[in-house]
Amino acid sequence: MDSYDAGSLPSDDNVNAYSFCLDLTHDWFLKRGAMIAYYGDARFDPLSALSSASAFVAARFSSPVYAQEWVVVSGAGKVVVADRGHDVNSFDLDAGNLTVRAGNLLAFDTSLELKQSIVPGFLTLLGTGTFIASSNGPVIFVEPPFRADPEALLGWADCPSPSQHFDAAWMAASITGMLTGVFGRASGEERQYDFTGSGTVLLQSSEQTRDDPALLRVLTEQTQVLSPTQAAELAGILQARAARA
Amino acid sequence: MPYGRLMAVLHASGRVLHADLQGDAIRAASGSMVAYTGQIEFVHAGVGGGEGLKAALKRKATGESVSLMQCRGTGRVYLAQNAADVTVVDLTADTLVVESDALLAVSPGLRLDVRFAGLRGATSGQGLATTTVAGDGQVAILSDGPLIGLSVSPGSPVTVDPDAYVASTGQTTPTLVSGVSWRSLVGGGSGEPFSLRFDGTGLVLIQPAER
């Protein structure tokens, strides 16, 4: 077992493969629940407490549905973060952009800008700085063209947002079956995310994802595009699904 | 101890504990034996915290109990539980405070006791470390991911998430912190509304996961 004190804990580096130590020489955005220990005089402030006082936070954190899941940690000292014993890694962005699954993002530099991705459940980081993300198993880096399982997808950098790809045989079956009969007989593998262009795709070596409490709010927000009639129809579909469950 | 101290040797190998016995006995969590070589006898050893009415009452009051078995003989016992990481802590005239369900085995000569931490009612799930192990010997602890030791000294307390806290050694005093600043860390309702600050001198052991 490795032992540390406030001085010997690594500064902005991994403590072991499953935890990372943030040095409060500068402020960080931190996901609630990610902190497992801290030394020193650290302050954890909800974004709501800061946004009025500091316009910079509001400008940096451009995602109202995720704002309540995050705090700003400032002050002096060291904060150890971890996520259910999963692998934790830091990534450096240099005037770049990277989109990551919201449930896997644990912390990021306040020098980075956060926006909500078009793909539900994902967040995009822009600019220069460090972010900390967890993965269930080591991270695998792949270059497009590439098709990924949505659950194993951790994120992507520099390439365009993925489109959805459906297995050809499954498509043929759905067309002949007029969709209705075939829905619900999915193997779970017929839907894939298709990446093109140049960049890097990040995968985790597992299909286990964390429940994202903000995902429901993201999807609810997206149903704004539906007409009232369509919304009523959607409500009926969801009710039927809930009744089956 | 005049004789026989540390005859039984505990050695962690990843997620398995090796206990080498030379005619003596260790106490281990009931049902944790996965294999053994040699001549070993396994006997139910009651629950941790000592025998007698007083100990039983304390266990009832604190809700802490750990069912133990005694492994006696000559040979090697392999102990494991739920594929949890195993860490062996050496104690020299020291006290280890540990969550009962994180205790895997103790070498002979150590005293087990149940201590009422007085904090239990205030925390959600965990029965805050009310089992103490004292004396000279070795203790094997279970954790979800490798344990991290964080040292505490006067003027340098450490604050931990109660769900990541596993054990502590030395003379440390836990205090529940529920400041406004801390509360903002906690998710909507289901989270742990407190943090634990440890003051004093010693080592606080945490795991890189929230139970």
Side-chain angles (χ1 to χ4, degrees):
Chain A
M1 181 183 67
D2 296 315
S3 293
Y4 302 91
D5 59 28
S8 67
L9 265 178
S11 172
D12 291 349
D13 202 354
N14 274 78
V15 181
N16 56 32
Y18 315 101
S19 56
F20 190 93
C21 181
L22 307 175
D23 199 333
L24 296 183
T25 45
H26 58 89
D27 298 356
W28 293 84
F29 285 111
L30 178 71
K31 182 155 75 187
R32 290 183 180 197
M35 189 283 284
I36 56 166
Y38 69 88
Y39 279 109
D41 186 18
R43 278 192 59 80
F44 302 90
D45 293 300
L47 299 187
S48 55
L50 285 169
S51 52
S52 55
S54 95
F56 113 97
V57 171
R60 293 276 156 203
F61 201 101
S62 173
S63 171
V65 288
Y66 282 96
Q68 52 184 284
E69 318 288 331
W70 288 78
V71 294
V72 172
V73 52
S74 56
K78 284 176 175 169
V79 178
V80 183
V81 297
D83 177 24
R84 299 162 291 166
H86 287 187
D87 288 45
V88 175
N89 285 298
S90 69
F91 301 84
D92 292 320
L93 272 185
D94 184 13
N97 77 80
L98 184 137
T99 305
V100 62
R101 186 181 290 279
N104 290 84
L105 185 62
L106 302 182
F108 61 96
D109 256 349
T110 46
S111 65
L112 285 167
E113 201 178 323
L114 178 122
K115 291 190 190 299
Q116 214 172 297
S117 169
I118 288 289
V119 182
F122 284 81
L123 295 169
T124 301
L125 294 165
L126 300 159
T128 302
T130 304
F131 69 92
I132 321 299
S134 67
S135 62
N136 192 0
V139 181
I140 303 159
F141 298 89
V142 197
E143 277 182 28
F146 184 76
R147 288 188 188 131
D149 181 290
E151 276 76 42
L153 180 65
L154 197 60
W156 61 92
D158 301 328
C159 52
S161 287
S163 47
Q164 289 199 13
H165 175 85
F166 292 94
D167 182 73
W170 185 85
M171 269 307 291
S174 357
I175 293 161
T176 48
M178 298 306 281
L179 285 165
T180 45
V182 183
F183 265 177
R185 268 197 272 148
S187 70
E189 302 292 354
E190 66 288 323
R191 189 175 71 106
Q192 298 137 13
Y193 282 171
D194 193 292
F195 288 92
T196 52
S198 64
T200 311
V201 180
L202 283 71
L203 298 171
Q204 64 176 4
S205 43
S206 146
E207 296 183 17
Q208 193 192 330
T209 58
R210 176 170 225 167
D211 276 351
D212 180 357
L215 190 56
L216 179 64
R217 295 196 292 273
V218 175
L219 292 173
T220 309
E221 200 176 61
Q222 290 190 348
T223 59
Q224 298 294 332
V225 299
L226 300 176
S227 71
T229 327
Q230 288 171 317
E233 203 174 314
L234 178 64
I237 293 169
L238 291 177
Q239 257 168 16
R241 187 178 141 185
R244 275 201 308 276
Chain B
M1 292 264 173
Y3 60 90
R5 183 172 95 74
L6 285 191
M7 272 179 68
V9 177
L10 305 183
H11 167 69
S13 170
R15 298 177 177 185
V16 180
L17 179 75
H18 300 178
D20 290 312
L21 302 181
Q22 288 142 38
D24 47 4
I26 59 157
R27 278 174 291 174
S30 291
S32 63
M33 187 272 286
V34 289
Y36 72 95
T37 59
Q39 296 292 319
I40 315 273
E41 255 185 4
F42 299 90
V43 187
H44 179 64
V47 285
E51 303 303 322
L53 184 64
K54 198 178 156 207
L57 281 175
K58 267 201 287 188
R59 278 195 300 276
K60 201 169 161 77
T62 55
E64 286 272 318
S65 72
V66 49
S67 181
L68 295 173
M69 61 181 179
Q70 195 172 57
C71 317
R72 178 184 295 279
T74 306
R76 174 177 276 191
V77 187
Y78 298 86
L79 302 161
Q81 199 146 291
N82 298 332
D85 283 75
V86 177
T87 308
V88 173
V89 177
D90 295 311
L91 292 183
T92 310
D94 202 352
T95 303
L96 177 91
V97 185
V98 63
E99 300 277 1
S100 319
D101 53 6
L103 190 67
L104 179 61
V106 291
S107 69
L110 285 170
R111 291 184 309 280
L112 278 169
D113 196 6
V114 175
R115 189 172 78 178
F116 182 59
L119 300 169
R120 187 176 168 82
T123 65
S124 56
Q126 289 305 302
L128 264 170
T130 46
T131 297
T132 61
V133 184
D136 294 88
Q138 292 179 299
V139 188
I141 302 174
L142 297 162
S143 59
D144 187 358
L147 280 181
I148 303 164
L150 296 173
S151 71
V152 178
S153 54
S156 180
V158 68
T159 308
V160 304
D161 178 347
D163 291 332
Y165 170 77
V166 177
S168 55
T169 64
Q171 300 299 314
T172 55
T173 318
T175 320
L176 279 171
V177 185
S178 59
V180 175
S181 168
W182 167 261
R183 212 170 301 219
S184 65
L185 258 191
V186 178
S190 63
E192 176 65 58
F194 298 98
S195 63
L196 274 176
R197 195 183 70 226
F198 286 86
D199 293 279
T201 307
L203 200 60
V204 175
L205 312 182
I206 58 168
Q207 62 182 8
E210 310 84 355
R211 262 179 277 234

